[in-house]
Amino acid sequence: MNFLHHTRYPMPANPFSTIRETVDVTPEVAGEVKTTTCYMCACRCGIRVHLRAGQVRYIDGNPDHPVNRGVLCAKGAAGIMNHTSPARLTKPLLRVGERGEGRFREIEWDEALDIAAGWLGETRRRDPRGLAFFTGRDQSQSLTGWWAAQYGTPNFAAHGGFCSVNIAAGGLYTVGGSFWEFGEPDFERTRYFLMFGVAEDHDSNPLKIGLGMLKSRGNARFVSVNPVRTGYSAIADEWIAIRPGTDGLLVMALIHELLRADRFDGDYLVRYTNAPWLVIDDPGAPDDGLIARDADGDPLCFDHASGALAKANGIDISPALAGARALGDGRRAVPAFELIARRYLDAAFSPDSVAERCGVPADTIRRLAAEIAAAAFESEVTVEQPWTDWAGRRHERFIGRPVSMHAMRGISAHSNGFHTTRALHLLQALLGSIDVPGGWRFRPPFPRPIPPAPKPAGPASVPGASLGGMPLGFPTGPEDLLVEADGTARRIDQAYGWEYPLAAHGLMHVMLRNAWAGDPYKVDVVFMYMANMAWNSSMAIADTIGYLTDRDETGQYRIPRIIYSDAFWSETVPYADLVLPDTTYLERWDAISLLDRPISHADGAGDAIRQPVVAPDRDVRPFQDVLIELGVRLALPGLTREDGAPRYPGGYPDYLANHERAPGVGPLAGWRGDGTAQGRGPANPDQLQRYIDNGCYWTGELAPEARFMKHANRAWLDHAHAMGWSPSTDPVVFQLYSETLQKFRLAARGHGSKLPPEAHRERVETYFDPLPFWYPPFEEDAIEATDFPLHAVTQRPMHMYHSWGGQNAWLRQITSENRLHVHPRTAAGLGLADDDWVRIQSHHGEVVGQVRLMSGVNPDTVWTWNAIGKRRGAWALDSDAPEATRGFLLNHAIADLLPARGGLRYANADPVTGQAAWYDLRVRLEKLGAEEAMEAARALAAFETGPTAPKGPLAHGKEIADRPSGRPAVEFSEWLSQRDGAPSRRGDGRRGHRP
Ligand code: SF4
């Protein structure tokens, strides 16, 4: 650099003099550091927030934190710009205009809570089902779900039905854990890592750390199976450009090859899975396809050693994996493994048969299978640690098959995702690579028993009563479904109905349509939190806006009341009748709880908190505090004492420290009782301070002998039971063949006391196959491929998270407009070039966008970044912001319902779990002129931002020095002293019994 010409160094009198700059290399940019947990995506990294004069100055990663070990991504560092965003809500709002106009009157909290409690109380007295309480990317679901149960509505769910329930349920029903949050690849030891799809904001920093470890070790292969080569796929050793929705078929072809070559771990199958369990073969009988059991209810196998039937859970037996056996009562049965082998050895799953459909050459599939087998069986890794199995047998070491896997979206967001996930776990089990060194490992508190628990709780029969359990759960058979006598679903989203029986995360994407249609019944109040349902958390956006604004013949809105809580002025705020402004994540308490989705890693359990590092400088309140306050006003049983006094007068932190879900089990596992208990123990008034002192997280490392083979490891099983994570110390046997699914299939065949209505029987029979199977994504099957020849998917930018990122002054500079990425060969066929505008049209709708050519995409697929496109007038962005003029949201083209068949219209969702199938989208492209395109892009009217709407935008960093970033937080000790005796730390005088 030529210093003499730098504007900071004016020309001195003597041009030859040496200018010496005094640089303060250790400026005091911050005087105080507070730890907390990031909330800029789902990853839950530990952060350090640097403050000066009580203001947030910058954020960095906490080097001690078990999740990220100091790593911070772009989103995490840019948290300060969310925290200071001009789009923040500042005061409770009451609608004064029409829904969608965005005209509100600012009101005081007292009035807001009175209104909300009035609406909610009236509904609860009449019929608690009249409340549909749905949250979005809420990290406090153990509170929000429990609150719904106290209120008495079954109509509760969060974001999972839109996001990942296929992955979660597919794993939990098969191996008792799942990819992403409940499991992890053993990056330290793996030799072969297969990644299927991925959402870059899920497990983001752990994956980056792991891939870095794997790459720098140099002796492991990383294969990425993804239609798009972005993010992690860009550094893979091999990229498999699969056609969307065919991952299951590829996995089954790999299984075919392994079986054909006799390359599977028979010992592992016999010891840890239900592969040798005998399955009754009695077509037409009510127990056909169920597991043959003895008088004690224990599963049977055929024991080669004794030449007779034996308890499959016995020890010192030699179970058969093939061969039909007589059960002694005229029935016959075959081992589950024989059914597995018969199915996948079929020529339909040969590499040659699936290659074209998958877009992967047959030779590549064969080579992948051979490489996987070689890694598993010829590069065995061991951990020299003696351990004892569930039956008391001592083993000298842990032996590993070092093939590991990870999967998330796209698999999760296809209508065949549940079965694809099960197929992946079957592949892992065949390789013997689950919870072994170098394989894919469980994160505590997983694995848990299969089928999972608890069961979903149904609506209370008495108005004003609470539910008997939690609204979300896991059916173990048709008897657990929430259906009326005629088979009609009892939940507003039809979860746990015959339409979507294992909808373990609910169907928030169905809720608004059903609430509008009164199907299966009308609701009075829709209460949403952090769920941008009028934009990127919905499919069929125009229809969704219609559900929110449509009126009945009397002129009343069909959805009578909408309460919405969010921290920001999103696209959904204008559709609410009452807006309860939330704080940012730096201004509140939170728990990343073992009761929900903790921060565990394979070697130990972990949970964490958020603490308010600054106090809000606006008239906003943490949603969790508001929920507890509403519970008190409604006199909900868990939230009030017998005399009506609040049970948690200190609000959410009080709840975190003192609530017990079961005796001795609370939201936080660390420092219970006198501070020495972990997992179980009495409440500890000092618990939150102990978390703060420890960097806002707790970890409980497992004993070395409990770290692998958890499903069958005596040390783990005893530990999990003692900690309250498992109801028993029994081993977890992987359910490769699912008797639970077969029970539903039998109901569809007319067996049992709870039968599906005739109209649903074929669907249940087909999709409740006890073995994983592949079927084309529903949309693909319903349209003419020639009309809509391209798959269309989204990818999550690493630097954006849902709608939050696109309003962030720093992150917007990375991406403020998205393009539709098209393979050059495909583009040439359509006469498209870079920057051309196209109409992206599906069978349902359309949206326009600009093209960018990219060779790193499957030629039959187009893709774009998610969550960039914004509606004009929202998020305090300028009305000409590129997000609103050039950015686009693919959701406009995605249908929320499948085309009608036989008079029935199901949701565009997986038929087992109800997972939204937004990756099934098929489109065609039509080239547009720029003018025509710009006009179409502006088709959706901008919000008229009234006086209560925030104004922006915040320029890049410029205004941050002037913009207050909060007030100093109340210290924990101060909070604690206020809690004793003071009815409310806010002094609003409204706590207490207010039904
Ligand atoms: S990965 Fe997610 S949680 Fe971690 S620092 Fe980035 S935004 Fe925060």
Side-chain angles (χ1 to χ4, degrees), residues 146-159:
W146 177 79
W147 190 95
Q150 301 306 305
Y151 182 91
T153 182
N155 296 322
F156 165 82
H159 169 82

Side-chain angles (χ1 to χ4, degrees), residues 38 40-41 43-45 72-73 75-76 204-205:
C38 185
M40 290 294 288
C41 87
C43 190
R44 308 167 180 92
C45 298
L72 195 72
C73 76
K75 302 183 293 284
S204 169
N205 278 340

Side-chain angles (χ1 to χ4, degrees), residues 173-219:
Y173 277 93
T174 308
V175 295
S178 82
F179 293 115
W180 180 28
E181 289 168 306
F182 306 153
E184 67 187 31
D186 185 358
F187 284 116
E188 204 180 318
R189 303 175 185 86
T190 200
R191 294 287 172 81
Y192 204 98
F193 175 51
L194 267 166
M195 179 182 267
F196 289 85
V198 80
E200 313 277 10
D201 60 356
H202 296 88
D203 221 19
S204 169
N205 278 340
L207 279 174
K208 286 178 216 153
I209 294 168
L211 290 173
M213 196 186 292
L214 188 141
K215 286 290 209 180
S216 43
R217 259 202 3 250
N219 63 350

Side-chain angles (χ1 to χ4, degrees), residues 190-194 372-373 375-376 401-405 431 433 438-440:
T190 200
R191 294 287 172 81
Y192 204 98
F193 175 51
L194 267 166
I372 290 168
R401 309 273 184 221
V403 175
S404 60
M405 298 180 198
L431 294 167
S433 67
W440 172 82

Side-chain angles (χ1 to χ4, degrees), residues 229-249:
R229 189 172 197 179
T230 59
Y232 306 130
S233 299
I235 60 160
D237 298 304
E238 183 171 4
W239 169 53
I240 306 291
I242 195 165
R243 276 187 62 208
T246 63
D247 307 69
L249 205 49

Side-chain angles (χ1 to χ4, degrees), residues 547-567:
Y547 310 147
L548 294 165
T549 53
D550 192 27
R551 293 176 185 272
D552 63 18
E553 48 291 341
T554 69
Q556 302 300 308
Y557 285 118
R558 285 189 189 276
I559 299 177
R561 284 163 176 154
I562 299 175
I563 306 174
Y564 185 50
S565 178
D566 203 328

